[in-house]
Amino acid sequence: MSPARLSVLLFLVPALLSAQMAPPIRGFSPVAAAAQAQLEGKMAGLLSRDSTGAWFKEFTRLPHPAASERNRQLAELIAAAWKRYGLEDVRLRRYDVLMPWPEQVGVTMTAPRTHRATLTEDCFPEDREACVGPELTYLGMSGSGDVTGELVYANSGNPADYDWLEAQGVDLQGKIAIVRYSNPYSYRGFKALTAEQRGLRAMLIYSDPQEDGYRKGLTFPNGPWGPESHIQRGAISYDFIVPGDPLTPGWASVEGARRIPEAEARSIPKIIAVPLSARDAEPMLRALAGPVAPSTWQGALPFTYRVGPGATVRVTVKMDGRVRPIWVTEGRIRGSETPDQMVVLGNHRDAWVYGAVDPSSGSATQMELARALGRLAQDGQRPKRTIVFTSWDAEEWHLTGSTEWGEEFAKELQAGAVAYLNVDGSTSGAEFKASAVATLNRLVQEVARDVADPATGKSLLEVTAARVGADGVVDNKLGSGSDYTVFLNYLGIPVVDLSFNGPYGVYHSQYDNHTWMSRFGDPGFRYMTTMAEVWGRMALRLANAAVLPYDATAIAWRLGQFVDELAAVPGVKERLDLADVTAAQRAMHEAAEGLEAALKRGVASPRAVNAAMQRLEQQWLLVDGIPGRPWFRHALYAPKYTYAALELPGIREAVDAGDWGAAQREAARLAERIRVMTAALAALR
Ligand SMILES: [Zn+2]
C-alpha cells in the first residue's frame, strides 16, 4: 500500500467509524451523514442562551407594531447584525400597503346606565417597565363609523351561534354583537365577516376568563394567564380570501404598482369592531336580559349569561385610511455549489405591543441562528445551497410582508426554493409543535430525533411522540395564520412551521412581554435557543443533502387519508364518484414507492432527481386556484375562513355547499393534478 493510499485510508477511518454509529440522515450517504452530523454539532455548539437572551431583550424593549418607527429601526438593526455575522446581499425591501391606524376608538354603554369602557390595560408594580400607558387599543382593518344599537351576546360569533339566536326569534339586524374570542376558537376576521353577513352593525370581541384568564389558572404577573384587563388586539382582514396588501391582490406593492380601489378589495371588512377586556365587557354582559344563553355559551364571569335585549351600546371607530411603508429585511449565505437553490427561513418582526412570544421569541431565535450559520460560513463551512434569512413586517395585518415578497420574487422562488421554514413565535412553553407538508415529514422527524429537549435531555422526537403519539409528531393539516401561506398556497413550495408551546393567556396584549417570558414562558431562554438548533439542523440538511430529503411516499399516503376523510363526510359516498381520485392516488403511491426504491439502489442521478423534485410540490397548484379564491392555488390545502386547516378545499367547499356538480368537477381537477404528479415521479425512476 502506498503512503498516499494509507493516509487516505487513515483519513477515512474516523468518518467510517462514526458513519456506523451515527443515525441515518435522509438524502445523505452514511459517510456524508457523519460529516453532516459533525457540522450540525459544531453549529449547535455555537448557540448561546446568553446572546439569544440579549437579542430577546432588545426586541422586547419597546412596542414595535408594523409601520412604526421602532419596527423600522429594528429592521435596520437586524440588517446591520446580519452583515456583521457574515451574511451576504443584506437589504431592506419596502412595500407600501394599506394599514389604517385609529384616530378614535370608543365603546360606551348608554342604557340601562352609562358605562364607558376603559379600553386600557392595568399596570403592575412588578412590571412597570412594560406599561404602555394610554394608547388606542383596536382591531386592525376595522371599519369606521359611529353606531348605537342594542347589544346581543352571540357566544363565539360563528354561524351556528347566529343560527341558534335566529331560531329563538332574536332579530340581529342593526344590532351590536358581543362575542368571545374562542368558544370554540375562530379567527377574528371570520367573526367579523360572519357578523357583517348577518346584518349586525358593529362587533365587540372580548376575552372571557374561561378561555385565557383566571378560570385557567394564576394570572399575570403571578401566572401565565391573562389578567382581567388584558386585551387581545389583532387584525380582522379577510386574508382567508386573499392575503397581502388588500389593494394589490396577487402582485407586489412595490413602487409604481397598480392599486385597485378600496371598494373592489375583497379582503377589507366593512363592519366596525373593537376588542374588549373581560373587565370592560362584564358590565355590558351583566346588563343583558332576555333568554338565558345555552349552557355551552356560559363563561367564567360570575353571573348567568343572557343573550339580550337589555343594553344599548355606542361604538365609535375612526380609522385614518392610510397606506404605510413596511420593511422586510433579507440576507443570505450563498451556497457553494448550487447558489440558485434556496432554503428560506422566515420570521415576522412586527408585534402588537412588545410581542415577547409573538414574535420576538422567534426573532431572537432567528438572530442566534444567523450568527451561528454566519460563523460557519466565515470558517469556510458554507452550505451547498443558499440559505436565505427574512424578517417579515406586518404579518399581524394581512400576512403582508411575506405575501408581497413572495409575489415579487415568485419566479426565482419557484425556480429555486427547496423549502420555506417558518418560525413565528418560537416559544411560549416546552411542547414541541411542527406542522409541515407530508413531503417533509421524514426530515422533521429525523431532526427532532437529533435534538435534545432541554428539560428532560431526551430527544424531542421521544418527548413529543409520548405526548401526541408517533403519528402526530408532524401535523400535516396546514391552515393559515402565519407567513408560510404565500409559499404553500400561492407558490407551491414545501413548508414547515415550528414552535414550542405552553400555557399562554396574554397573546396580543401588553403583558406578552419580557417579564412574562422570563417568569413563565422560557426562563433562561432554553427553548428559544433549542429552536435555533432545530431550525438550523433542518436548514443545513436541506442545504447540503446530495438528494433533496423529500418523501413522496408520505404525501401519497397522506393524500389517501385526506380522500378517506372526504369519503366519510355524510352524503359523499352516495353522491360523489371518487373512483378516479382513488385510482390516481394509488398510482401515485406506487410511483412514489418506485422512486424510493430507485433512490435506494442509487440508480437515479441526484442532479436530475433534485431538479425535478424541487418543482414537485408545485404540481399541486391549480390553474385559477380553488373556486372563488383564485389566489389559493394548492389542490390539497387552503385555510378555512376560520384559519383552520381545510384539506382538498375545492371539493370540500362544494360538498359543504351541497353543490355536487361542482364537487365532481373539482374531484376531476384533483385527479388530474395527481396524475401529473404521478408522471413526474415515474419519470425519475
Ligand atoms: Zn405572530
Side-chain angles (χ1 to χ4, degrees):
M1 190 178 286
S2 74
R5 285 182 68 184
L6 182 65
S7 72
V8 165
L9 198 66
L10 287 176
F11 173 76
L12 277 175
V13 165
L16 289 170
L17 280 177
S18 53
Q20 280 178 338
M21 294 183 298
I25 303 180
R26 188 168 176 84
F28 293 79
S29 71
V31 172
Q36 173 74 12
Q38 226 168 39
L39 174 74
E40 290 176 15
K42 187 173 171 193
M43 187 264 313
L46 290 169
L47 299 172
S48 137
R49 291 171 187 174
D50 289 346
S51 61
T52 306
W55 270 114
F56 180 70
K57 181 115 202 169
E58 183 64 46
F59 283 119
T60 53
R61 201 158 58 78
L62 294 165
H64 51 290
S68 66
E69 184 50 34
R70 175 59 180 167
N71 207 39
R72 175 175 175 163
Q73 273 174 18
L74 286 175
E76 284 165 357
L77 211 63
I78 290 170
W82 285 355
K83 283 181 192 160
R84 273 202 314 280
Y85 294 162
L87 272 62
E88 292 127 344
D89 308 327
V90 176
R91 71 190 70 186
L92 264 57
R93 305 268 183 197
R94 172 181 172 153
Y95 302 104
D96 292 309
V97 303
L98 182 66
M99 253 191 64
W101 283 357
E103 291 173 339
Q104 196 194 343
V105 183
V107 177
T108 306
M109 180 163 71
T110 55
R113 58 190 181 82
T114 304
H115 168 81
R116 192 174 165 80
T118 64
L119 304 179
T120 56
E121 300 177 295
D122 290 341
C123 295
F124 297 103
E126 300 94 317
D127 188 41
R128 198 166 286 132
E129 262 175 60
C131 195
V132 287
E135 54 134 11
L136 291 173
T137 49
Y138 68 104
L139 293 171
M141 298 305 295
S142 164
S144 288
D146 181 350
V147 302
T148 301
E150 238 175 46
L151 193 66
V152 54
Y153 170 55
N155 190 35
S156 202
N158 293 327
D161 300 324
Y162 292 114
D163 289 345
W164 186 87
L165 287 167
E166 280 170 348
Q168 306 308 301
V170 178
D171 179 21
L172 301 170
Q173 298 312 303
K175 290 195 176 157
I176 294 172
I178 182 163
V179 305
R180 284 155 76 156
Y181 261 109
S182 16
N183 187 42
Y185 176 80
S186 59
Y187 164 56
R188 58 188 95 74
F190 175 63
K191 297 178 197 289
L193 178 63
T194 308
E196 207 173 283
Q197 288 170 339
R198 297 296 177 124
L200 293 128
R201 295 181 72 199
M203 176 181 66
L204 307 171
I205 317 182
Y206 83 99
S207 305
D208 198 288
Q210 179 153 304
E211 279 122 43
D212 62 3
Y214 55 68
R215 183 61 62 81
K216 290 289 211 176
L218 288 177
T219 59
F220 187 86
N222 304 308
W225 297 102
E228 279 177 89
S229 73
H230 87 280
I231 299 171
Q232 184 191 136
R233 297 151 185 81
I236 58 169
S237 312
Y238 301 163
D239 54 7
F240 40 77
I241 298 175
V242 55
D245 176 22
L247 305 183
T248 62
W251 63 93
S253 11
V254 292
E255 214 186 323
R258 179 171 70 88
R259 275 163 214 286
I260 61 171
E262 272 191 42
E264 285 170 28
R266 295 182 63 203
S267 58
I268 301 181
K270 292 179 187 68
I271 196 164
I272 302 162
V274 179
L276 292 183
S277 64
R279 187 179 61 193
D280 277 339
E282 175 162 0
M284 301 181 201
L285 286 167
R286 199 189 275 274
L288 289 177
V292 171
S295 61
T296 52
W297 294 24
Q298 298 296 322
L301 296 172
F303 49 82
T304 300
Y305 291 33
R306 294 173 180 271
V307 302
T312 306
V313 172
R314 177 178 177 193
V315 184
T316 315
V317 176
K318 188 158 181 267
M319 305 293 284
D320 69 10
R322 276 183 54 192
V323 167
R324 297 187 147 80
I326 60 165
W327 305 90
V328 170
T329 309
E330 176 193 317
R332 62 190 65 206
I333 299 172
R334 263 186 237 124
S336 58
E337 289 183 12
T338 46
D340 293 346
Q341 293 201 336
M342 305 170 265
V343 188
V344 184
L345 278 58
N347 160 262
H348 77 88
R349 183 181 68 254
D350 63 304
W352 277 106
V353 194
Y354 301 96
V357 171
D358 181 12
S360 302
S361 58
S363 310
T365 295
Q366 189 182 40
M367 294 310 284
E368 188 57 5
L369 179 57
R371 192 178 67 80
L373 293 182
R375 169 68 79 75
L376 288 182
Q378 286 177 322
D379 288 355
Q381 290 179 294
R382 195 166 272 283
K384 291 179 179 156
R385 300 182 180 90
T386 296
I387 295 179
V388 180
F389 283 88
T390 50
S391 168
W392 310 121
D393 201 349
E395 185 271 356
E396 295 292 0
W397 282 72
H398 354 75
L399 312 173
T400 326
S402 57
T403 302
E404 300 309 314
W405 192 85
E407 289 170 346
E408 182 174 6
F409 300 106
K411 235 176 98 189
E412 293 86 338
L413 288 164
Q414 289 194 316
V418 300
Y420 172 68
L421 309 179
N422 190 61
V423 173
D424 192 314
S426 68
T427 314
S428 63
E431 295 188 350
F432 181 64
K433 163 97 190 179
S435 304
V437 294
T439 320
L440 294 177
N441 279 6
R442 196 94 74 93
L443 171 77
V444 176
Q445 285 161 349
E446 287 181 356
V447 168
R449 173 199 69 196
D450 297 340
V451 177
D453 169 46
T456 62
K458 294 178 185 168
S459 83
L460 288 179
L461 183 67
E462 191 183 343
V463 173
T464 310
R467 196 181 72 245
V468 296
D471 264 358
V473 171
V474 191
D475 184 355
N476 291 142
K477 299 198 167 178
L478 291 151
S480 184
S482 197
D483 290 303
Y484 58 81
T485 302
V486 69
F487 297 94
L488 175 70
N489 300 97
Y490 185 73
L491 298 172
I493 290 164
V495 302
V496 180
D497 184 53
L498 300 164
S499 56
F500 284 108
N501 303 310
Y504 174 43
V506 298
Y507 170 67
H508 288 184
S509 78
Q510 77 169 22
Y511 309 112
D512 185 4
N513 61 31
H514 197 278
T515 305
W516 186 94
M517 185 64 79
S518 45
R519 285 189 179 195
F520 314 114
D522 190 21
F525 314 111
R526 297 187 302 168
Y527 284 90
M528 246 177 253
T529 313
T530 299
M531 184 56 85
E533 185 183 343
V534 174
W535 207 1
R537 285 183 187 264
M538 213 172 272
L540 286 174
R541 288 178 196 193
L542 285 158
N544 289 337
V547 177
L548 286 168
Y550 300 154
D551 180 1
T553 58
I555 186 71
W557 164 75
R558 193 61 95 182
L559 169 64
Q561 270 194 342
F562 291 168
V563 175
D564 289 347
E565 285 167 15
L566 171 70
V569 173
V572 166
K573 269 213 172 71
E574 298 77 31
R575 312 198 57 170
L576 193 59
D577 183 359
L578 289 173
D580 200 23
V581 171
T582 305
Q585 182 269 335
R586 290 207 181 112
M588 182 188 163
H589 198 263
E590 264 171 45
E593 283 184 329
L595 172 61
E596 193 68 17
L599 288 173
K600 277 210 181 89
R601 290 198 308 274
V603 292
S605 124
R607 187 167 284 272
V609 169
N610 286 342
M613 296 242 283
Q614 184 269 327
R615 291 216 174 240
L616 203 63
E617 195 82 13
Q618 290 169 39
Q619 307 301 337
W620 291 123
L621 297 184
L622 296 160
V623 179
D624 299 330
I626 63 173
R629 291 193 280 168
W631 190 93
F632 286 92
R633 303 195 283 193
H634 205 290
L636 303 193
Y637 295 113
K640 286 185 189 166
Y641 283 26
T642 59
Y643 270 2
L646 177 66
E647 296 81 45
L648 314 182
I651 310 176
R652 196 55 201 264
E653 288 188 325
V655 166
D656 290 348
D659 187 344
W660 298 99
Q664 199 64 63
R665 282 194 299 279
E666 290 305 307
R669 290 216 299 164
L670 173 65
E672 197 233 316
R673 291 332 301 162
I674 304 173
R675 280 193 287 268
V676 169
M677 186 67 91
T678 308
L681 290 169
L684 288 172
R685 278 182 290 182

